[in-house]
Amino acid sequence: MAKLILLGILVLFAIGYLSLFVADFWKHRHTLSRQSWWKFILIGLVTDFFDTLGIGNFAPTASAFRLGKLVDDQLIPGTMNAAHCLPVIAEALIFMTVIEVDSLTLILMVAAAIAGAVWGAGIVARMNLRAIRIGMGIALLGVAFVLLAGLLKWMPSGGTATGLYGLKLAFAVVVNFVLGGLMTIGVGQYAPCMALVYSLGMSPTSAFPIMMSSCAFLMPAGSARFIKEQAIDRKAAMGIAIGGIPGVLVAAYIITSLPLTMLKWIVCAVLVYTAVNMLLAGLKNAIEANPEPAVD
């Protein structure tokens, strides 16, 4: 019963966010960037396809934006949240109905993620370009490390539990609050959330509804804040959303298995490259903002 209520609330979130997203896009339709629609649609199709399989979509999207010079750095966090919101909601609706997980664990971790996102979005939307570049560079390196840890078997492989209780549950709720806040700066929640539930003894499959539902519930709240602050690239966000939903459906209902190890190594390498590039750009901004005093 609790899960049905959660599903109903998520559908209402989706409807509310869709209304806001489309209305904002239509209002600003004459001020869109000149980038090709197909670039963004393809990014959405590919990143949300692999997101459904557990790769995550924020890090690859940020890399695509940076490598293709498609979106202004300052708009990347808000654009990624707004763009992937609807595809991730689709993922959550699918996985919440097919994978068993304790309702209390799911509800408390989702609530914590929402609170973290609302708190974080207001801060990120007002950050300057230098801070965003440095913050995202550090965040991407962190995601690359978690991905590398999984590939090298440094992370626990999980247990058999479908829920958490007592101190473990309290700890998971606190950490998910922090992850919700970090997601607004571009730290995808899948890898760290998966590492969290694995380390606490939950089964690997139970990680999927938790991490996807956490993202699905927090993203409308955080994305709405970014839209209000006009901190998104509307064309990029709409294009990715259009391509992302078919990508989710194909991955969830057509592709049942895929060798992902090589892809994870490639993603890890791209993340490190993008993170270093972002950090160098941020440090350059810092040096330009505080030049060395002239020597007489």
Side-chain angles (χ1 to χ4, degrees):
M1 184 63 182
K3 188 178 288 187
L4 285 176
I5 294 173
L6 208 59
L7 286 167
I9 295 172
L10 185 54
V11 170
L12 292 177
F13 269 44
I15 294 171
Y17 176 72
L18 179 62
S19 301
L20 174 67
F21 186 48
V22 172
D24 177 77
F25 177 84
W26 184 254
K27 180 180 178 181
H28 297 90
R29 65 190 184 279
H30 299 303
T31 62
L32 303 179
S33 73
R34 296 188 178 184
Q35 296 288 350
S36 168
W37 276 103
W38 289 109
K39 291 179 182 178
F40 297 124
I41 292 172
L42 182 61
I43 290 172
L45 181 67
V46 173
T47 57
D48 283 307
F49 171 87
F50 287 109
D51 189 64
T52 311
L53 299 177
I55 293 291
N57 54 26
F58 269 25
T61 302
S63 297
F65 284 169
R66 282 288 292 173
L67 294 174
K69 298 181 179 179
L70 301 175
V71 173
D72 185 89
D73 285 349
Q74 198 159 4
L75 300 179
I76 287 179
T79 301
M80 291 194 301
N81 276 273
H84 290 296
C85 184
L86 293 172
V88 169
I89 287 176
E91 292 174 22
L93 291 172
I94 293 168
F95 282 97
M96 284 172 67
T97 56
V98 300
I99 296 177
E100 182 63 32
V101 64
D102 176 64
S103 296
L104 180 62
T105 302
L106 183 64
I107 290 169
L108 290 180
M109 291 188 72
V110 165
I114 294 172
V118 173
W119 166 74
I123 296 173
V124 175
R126 293 181 174 85
M127 289 172 66
N128 61 38
L129 181 60
R130 180 177 69 252
I132 286 178
R133 281 175 168 167
I134 294 174
M136 284 196 66
I138 294 171
L140 290 173
L141 284 177
V143 174
F145 176 78
V146 173
L147 192 59
L148 181 64
L151 287 166
L152 298 177
K153 310 298 183 185
W154 294 344
M155 287 195 319
S157 59
T160 59
T162 59
L164 298 170
Y165 308 94
L167 291 177
K168 283 187 177 182
L169 178 57
F171 177 75
V173 167
V174 171
V175 173
N176 225 35
F177 173 85
V178 175
L179 294 180
L182 290 175
M183 190 167 173
T184 57
I185 199 173
V187 183
Q189 205 201 29
Y190 284 10
C193 184
M194 188 177 289
L196 171 66
V197 298
Y198 281 13
S199 66
L200 294 175
M202 291 190 67
S203 70
T205 54
S206 295
F208 279 80
I210 289 176
M211 64 189 185
M212 290 177 176
S213 298
S214 294
C215 293
F217 275 95
L218 71 84
M219 288 179 78
S223 300
R225 188 73 178 267
F226 281 119
I227 291 172
K228 181 181 177 182
E229 299 285 346
Q230 298 193 43
I232 69 168
D233 182 311
R234 294 176 178 86
K235 190 173 191 177
M238 182 62 74
I240 289 173
I242 290 170
I245 293 175
V248 169
L249 298 177
V250 170
Y253 293 116
I254 297 178
I255 306 298
T256 55
S257 63
L258 196 66
L260 297 175
T261 301
M262 182 56 69
L263 178 65
K264 287 181 179 180
W265 279 109
I266 294 171
V267 169
C268 194
V270 172
L271 286 182
V272 172
Y273 172 82
T274 306
V276 171
N277 191 275
M278 191 78 79
L279 283 170
L280 290 175
L283 292 173
K284 181 181 178 182
N285 289 150
I287 292 171
E288 290 173 350
N290 300 284
E292 291 285 340
V295 178
D296 293 331

